[in-house]
Amino acid sequence: MNRTTQDPARAAASLDPLDVVIRYHQETKHHFFRYARALGYMDWANQPDPFRRYEGAPLVPLSLLKPDDAPLSPLYEDLYRRGAIASAPVTVRTLSRFFEYSLAISAWKQAGEVRWALRANPSSGNLHPTEGYLLIDTVPGVSPFPGLYHYAAREHALELRAELRKENFISLMQKFPPEAFLVGFTSVNWRETWKYGERAFRYCQHDVGHAIGSARIAARTLGWRMLLLEGLSDETVAAVLGVDRPEDFERAEREHPDCLAVVWPADQAAGRTISIPLSLRLDADRESTRHVWHGKANRLSRDDPVQWEILNQAEVASWKSSTEQGVVEVNRDGPSINPGADAPSLYPGKPEAGQVIRQRRSALAFDGETSISVESFFTMLSRVMPRVECGPGERPMPWDVLTWGPAIHLGLFVHRVEGLAPGLYMLVRDPSKVDSLRRATHPQYAWTSPPGCPEDLPLFLLQEGDTRQLAAQVSCHQDIAGASAFSLGMIAEFESSLRRHGPWFYRRLFWETGVIGQVLYLEAEASGVRATGIGCFFDDPVHQVMGFNDTMFQSLYHFTTGGHVEDPRLTTLSPYGLDH
C-alpha cells in the first residue's frame, strides 16, 4: 500500500508542482490490466459519517417548505429564459429553498434495515465529500448579526460557526450588489479515499463542480445570480470558511478549501451592467481573528484516515496561492417576460424546476431499449454550451458562474437517438477548438455535421457504427454505458490548460465537468429519462478510441443517459418527513 511516510507538503515542495499534478493524473488512471491503487477491500467499520456537524455550534433550523409553498418554483424551462424569473428577496424562506435545491437531502433509500440519504447534489459513490457554507448579513429568522454558517444537510439547518462584526462584513462586501452573500465549498477528501484510494482526489473535485452547478441552478430558481470568486487564493478561502483553524478540528478529519462564490438578487433594470470583483478586500488571516467562533468538527471515522502519498502531494501541488484582482462585467436581467400558457414546451408535461431538482436520481441500470428524440438530444447538448462569444457575465445560466473559457468537450457514444445515426460524435464546446481537436483525433474520422443539427451547435459525426459494446468496455465494463440512449466522455484541454493557468487549474477542469454533469442530470429528468455519472473508466483506452496519443487531451469524467430500471428491493422515503 502506497501510504504517506513523510510530510506531503515538504515532499511536494522539492518537485515541480506541474510535474506532480501530471504524474498524479497519469498514475491514477485505470487500465485494462490494473485499476488505480486503493485499499482493495471495504473497511465498513471505518466508513466515514456522511454528515459533518460542529459540536457546540448554535443550530438555526430552516423552515421545511412544501413543494407548493412560496417561493413558488418556476417552470424548469424558464431557468433558461432570460428575465423569466423575478428576483426574490433574501429571507429565511428563500435561503431554505436555495439550500433545499442545492445541497439538501432529496430522499432516503432503504433496503432491509439499511438506509441512506440521496441529495440534490450528486456524489461519487454517494459518499458526499462536499461541505457547504454561508456567509451572510443580518437576516430575520436567522441571526441578528452577520455570520458564517455551515449547512447541516441532515437537519436542513445552519450551524453558526462565527459571529462577524458588522463593520467587518460591510468592508468585506462593499463592492458587491445589495443583499449579496457568499457561498463556500470544501471537501472532506477522506470520504472518497476510504473507498477509492488514490483516484479519490479526482472524484472530490468533480463533486465540487456538481455542487457549484446545483447552487447556481438553485439560485436561478429564485432569480438570483452567482459568480465564482476565482481571484481568491486557497489560503483566503480557508480563512474565510474557518477550515484553517486546527483548534476546531483537533482529531477530526480536515476539510480542503475549494472555492467561494458570491450570490445576489438579479437587478431587473434592463440594459445595464455591474462590475463584480473576483476577489475580496480582506486580510483574511487578520480579520478571522476578530470573529467569535463556535463549535468543533465531529470525527467522521473511528480510526485515522488512510493516507496516500501521491494524492496528498497532488493536493499540495494544486493549491492556489495566487490572488488576482480582476472584475467581471455582469449583465443585469432584462424585464420579466411571460412566455404564454400556449407556448410550445421542450419538455413533456412542462415540469416545474423544483420537481425536476427533487426527483433527480443517479440511475443504477438502464433497460437497453429506451430511445430519445433527436430534438431532446440537441436540446440537452445546447444546455451545456457556454456560448464563448459572450463575456463571462453574459453567458447563459449556469455558465455565467464560471469565469474561464470552456476547456471541456464531449466525446459521445450515440446508441438510441431517433433520427440520428448511431456512432461516435464530438461536441466542441468552444468552436475555435475544432481544428485542434480534429488534428488530435484519428485521421479517418469524418467530422461532418449530422442532418438537422442546429447551426449554432458544433456537433460532429466522427464515425457511424454500433458503439454499445465499446462504450461499456471503456467504462470499466459497465453495462450502463452501452444500455443507455447515449453516453459520453468529458474531454479536457489538459496539459495546455495547466501550463497556461498553473497546476491549480487541474481542479477547475474537474469543476467544469461537474457543472456539465449537473446540467445533464436535470435535462435527463426533465425529458423523462434518467442519467448517471461514471467515474470508473479506462483512461488511455478512451484516448485510443478518440486518437489522442499524448496529454494534450484527456478524458476526466464519463456520463450516460437512458431509460432507467427501478430496483424493486429499494424503498423511497421522503427527505424530511414531508410529502415531496
Side-chain angles (χ1 to χ4, degrees), residues 377-378 381 410-415 419-428 434 438 441-453 457-467 546:
F377 181 69
F378 288 153
L381 297 188
L410 306 186
L412 297 124
F413 301 88
V414 173
H415 311 313
L420 195 65
L424 188 63
Y425 291 75
M426 183 75 74
L427 178 72
V428 185
V434 171
R438 190 200 304 259
T441 57
H442 290 302
Q444 69 268 25
Y445 282 162
W447 283 89
T448 57
S449 180
C453 183
L457 188 65
L459 176 68
F460 299 92
L461 170 65
L462 303 185
Q463 183 171 297
E464 284 192 29
D466 186 343
T467 58
M546 297 297 174

Side-chain angles (χ1 to χ4, degrees), residues 9-47:
R10 183 174 299 175
S14 64
L15 304 171
D16 184 306
L18 181 60
D19 290 342
V20 172
V21 167
I22 292 176
R23 181 170 68 90
Y24 167 79
H25 188 76
Q26 294 285 56
E27 292 195 15
T28 57
K29 289 180 174 180
H30 288 323
H31 301 274
F32 284 140
F33 55 88
R34 71 162 177 86
Y35 287 85
R37 288 176 288 268
L39 281 178
Y41 64 93
M42 301 301 291
D43 183 7
W44 293 110
N46 212 33
Q47 182 178 9

Side-chain angles (χ1 to χ4, degrees), residues 41 78 91 102-103 146 162 173 225 230 258 273 306 322 326-327 357 409 415 438 447 539-540 562:
Y41 64 93
D78 283 350
T91 67
S102 58
L103 300 176
M173 303 295 289
R225 297 291 298 267
E230 182 60 11
D258 292 312
T273 60
V306 175
S322 62
V327 299
I357 291 169
H409 311 281
H415 311 313
R438 190 200 304 259
W447 283 89
D539 301 61
D540 287 338

